[in-house]
Structures are given as structure tokens and as C-alpha cells.
């Protein structure tokens, strides 16, 4: 399929906006899944980024991550900060957590008999994950299950092995930005695979890390729960979240004053 046909296809399912200059697709779970299914039906590979405030601020300081985000095919509003920024700009959107979209893609992949590869997480987590997904999605075709602790030298061999099974869905859980680098490097080899960077999702699905209770999720405070339950994140989060908020507020004030002048 010609690239412009793929863009038209994508455009029918998503509405693209910007947050601090970064593209973001206002999609819900159903429309995001339609994009995934369209990619499968057309045998097109694609990269899905799950964008949050922390990642935006990281990308502002990291040219490689910046480029990768801008080139992704679908960029979903994973974090409350991004949804808040869209709202301030007059764009209604709901949060679509990457962990939920990834789980839904597994469900649909299982239903459609699509081949799945899993990359990332500690060796014991990967072992538990394989068993857990086979229990949760009976009949799921897991054609690759590689933990995330391999060296650069081992990478080509690992990728070759997974490639030989022609996966159509690859979930990559190496954390940001490692998983984005990995997908960027190999997506041209996995020409028919939908690739999603899923952070700590494997840890949550296997129960080795707890996701925030529903009340935190509903109050848009999942980030706060992570902050208190995994205090080692504090430095990283505290250096990015206030910066994101100030920049978004600054942009919103600028927009308002230029609208008032015109
Ligand atoms: N990880 C990995 N290989 C590495 C570094 C990390 O497989 O070299 C895994 C780690 O075990 C964890 C995930 O990547 O499962 C990172 O999760 P985290 O919640 O920190 O992701 P982020 O907050 O960056 O989305």
C-alpha cells in the first residue's frame, strides 16, 4: 500500500492535535483498535507511542526521542497531563492509558489469530507473563518472548529469531526511551508488525508491580500513586511535571492574549 493511502486510512480514525508542539492523536480505544486492525489487514507495520507529560519533557531535551515521537504513526494520550493540555487548548479528549490499549490489542490479536511477540521485563517476569497471557487469552499465538536484559551485541540475533516467526504485534517493555530506540531501530525489519512501547505493563500484568487503585485513576492521580509507591521516580517526575505544567499554562495564556488582540 502506498504511504499516502496509509495516511488517508489513519486520518479517518484519528484527529491529530499538538501539545507543546508534539503531535497527539485524539482517539479512544475503539478508534485506536480500528487503526491497528487496518494496519494488520493491509499488512503494514506501525509504531504506536503512548505519550505523557514526562515523555514530552524528556523529548524536549533528547533530539533522538523527539524525532522518534514525531515519526510515530499513532500517538495516544496516555497521561492526564496531556489530556489537560488538550482541554486548555479547547480540545476534548479522554485519557487512553497505553497499558489498556496494549491489553485490548492482545485480546483482538488473540481473536484474529495474529502472531504476538513480547520483548522486555526481567527474565522471571517474562516467564510469568507468557503463562499469564496464555491463561487470560486462551489460544493466543505467542511466537516470541524475550526478556529485556540483553546486550547490544545480542540484539541482532534476538531480532532475527523473532523475525523468523513474522509477528504481527510486538509489545516492547524496556522503559522510555529505550523501548522507543529499539522500535525505531527495528521497525523497518518488522514490516508487518504493530509495535507498541508499553513501559512497565508486563510488571503490572504479572502482579510484580501494582497499578494505581481505580480511585487514583478516576481522579487523574495515577502519576501521584506511582510517585508515592515508587519513590525512586520522584527526581525524574519532579523535574518534568512542573516544567510541563508551566509551559502548557504559558502557551495557553499566550494563545488567549493573541485571540483577544485579534
Ligand atoms: N526494562 C528492561 N530492560 C532494561 C531496562 C528496563 O526490560 O534494560 C524493563 C523493566 O524491567 C520494566 C520496564 O522496562 O519492566 C520499565 O518500566 P517503567 O515502569 O520504569 O517504564 P516507564 O516508566 O519508563 O514507562
Amino acid at each position: 500500500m502506498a504511504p499516502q493511502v496509509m495516511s488517508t486510512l489513519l486520518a479517518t480514525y484519528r484527529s491529530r492535535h499538538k501539545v507543546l508542539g508534539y503531535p497527539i492523536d485524539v482517539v479512544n480505544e475503539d478508534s485506536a483498535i480500528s487503526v491497528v486492525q487496518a494496519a494488520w489487514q493491509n499488512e503494514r507495520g506501525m509504531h504506536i507511542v503512548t505519550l505523557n507529560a514526562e515523555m514530552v519533557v524528556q523529548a524536549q531535551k533528547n533530539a533522538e526521542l523527539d524525532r522518534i515521537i514525531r515519526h510515530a504513526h499513532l500517538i495516544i494520550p496516555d497521561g492526564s497531563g496531556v489530556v489537560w493540555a488538550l482541554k486548555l487548548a479547547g480540545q476534548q479528549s479522554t485519557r487512553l492509558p497505553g497499558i489498556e490499549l496494549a491489553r485490548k490489542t492482545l485480546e483482538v490479536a488473540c481473536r484474529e489469530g495474529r502472531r504476538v511477540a513480547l520483548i522486555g521485563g526481567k527474565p522471571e517476569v517474562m516467564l510469568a507473563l507468557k503463562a499469564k497471557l496464555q491463561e487470560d487469552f486462551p489460544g493466543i499465538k505467542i511466537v516470541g518472548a524475550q526478556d529485556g536484559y540483553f546486550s547490544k551485541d545480542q540484539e541482532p540475533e534476538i531480532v532475527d529469531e523473532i523475525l523468523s516467526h513474522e509477528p504481527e504485534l510486538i509489545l516492547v517493555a524496556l522503559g522510555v526511551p529505550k523501548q522507543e530506540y529499539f522500535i525505531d531501530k527495528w521497525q523497518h525489519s518488522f514490516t508487518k508488525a504493530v509495535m507498541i512501547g508499553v513501559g512497565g505493563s508486563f510488571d503490572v500484568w504479572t502482579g510484580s508491580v501494582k497499578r494505581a487503585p481505580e480511585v487514583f485513576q478516576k481522579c487523574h492521580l495515577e502519576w501521584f500513586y506511582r510517585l508515592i509507591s515508587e519513590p525512586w521516580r520522584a527526581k525524574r517526575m519532579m523535574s518534568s511535571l512542573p516544567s510541563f505544567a508551566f509551559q502548557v499554562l504559558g502557551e495557553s495564556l499566550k494563545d488567549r492574549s493573541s485571540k483577544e488582540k485579534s
Side-chain angles (χ1 to χ4, degrees), residues 36-252:
V36 169
Q37 288 177 303
W40 283 335
Q41 277 153 17
N42 292 285
E43 300 191 345
R44 291 287 301 191
M46 71 179 299
H47 178 194
I48 302 181
V49 161
T50 68
L51 196 70
N52 59 33
E54 237 184 296
M55 207 168 163
V56 167
V57 175
Q58 222 178 316
Q60 289 177 325
K61 301 174 196 153
N62 177 338
E64 187 68 356
L65 182 61
D66 176 288
R67 177 187 64 75
I68 296 170
I69 293 173
R70 291 176 194 281
H71 280 92
H73 300 91
L74 187 70
I75 303 150
I76 66 162
D78 168 272
S80 303
V82 169
V83 171
W84 167 72
L86 283 168
K87 274 196 186 133
L88 271 186
Q91 182 56 51
Q92 288 307 312
S93 157
T94 44
R95 205 182 148 217
L96 176 53
I99 188 168
E100 287 172 20
L101 179 64
R103 189 140 185 110
K104 190 71 189 177
T105 56
L106 284 172
E107 185 193 312
V108 178
C110 175
R111 204 169 57 223
E112 294 192 7
R114 305 279 176 192
R115 294 176 297 277
V116 176
L118 311 160
I119 303 172
K122 296 197 181 91
E124 62 275 20
V125 168
M126 182 47 76
L127 212 61
L129 179 70
K130 226 179 137 184
K132 179 83 174 80
L133 293 183
Q134 271 154 350
E135 188 188 312
D136 292 351
F137 304 106
I140 191 167
K141 285 189 191 160
I142 300 178
V143 298
Q146 170 62 49
D147 71 71
Y149 294 85
F150 48 83
S151 68
K152 279 262 165 284
D153 293 346
Q154 292 171 301
E155 206 171 292
E157 201 181 320
I158 286 169
V159 167
D160 268 357
E161 157 61 19
I162 297 174
L163 257 176
S164 69
H165 299 286
E166 301 185 351
E168 294 159 289
L169 172 65
I170 309 179
L171 302 185
V172 186
L174 300 172
V176 178
K178 215 170 172 183
Q179 61 199 24
E180 282 70 32
Y181 295 160
F182 181 91
I183 294 174
D184 179 63
K185 184 168 171 196
W186 297 108
Q187 64 174 330
H188 302 293
S189 303
F190 291 107
T191 51
K192 295 178 186 168
V194 172
M195 300 181 82
I196 316 178
V198 296
S201 301
F202 295 174
D203 299 325
V204 174
W205 291 338
T206 52
S208 45
V209 169
K210 264 205 162 47
R211 196 175 165 201
E214 220 163 290
V215 59
F216 282 82
Q217 293 177 36
K218 283 203 175 123
C219 298
H220 305 286
L221 288 173
E222 194 160 4
W223 62 272
F224 181 67
Y225 178 84
R226 294 196 90 180
L227 185 69
I228 49 174
S229 58
E230 298 169 87
W232 57 268
R233 289 184 186 277
K235 193 169 161 237
R236 203 174 93 180
M237 287 174 94
M238 286 336 243
S239 67
S240 53
L241 298 184
S243 161
F244 179 83
F246 279 124
Q247 291 185 66
V248 169
L249 284 171
E251 205 167 73
S252 168

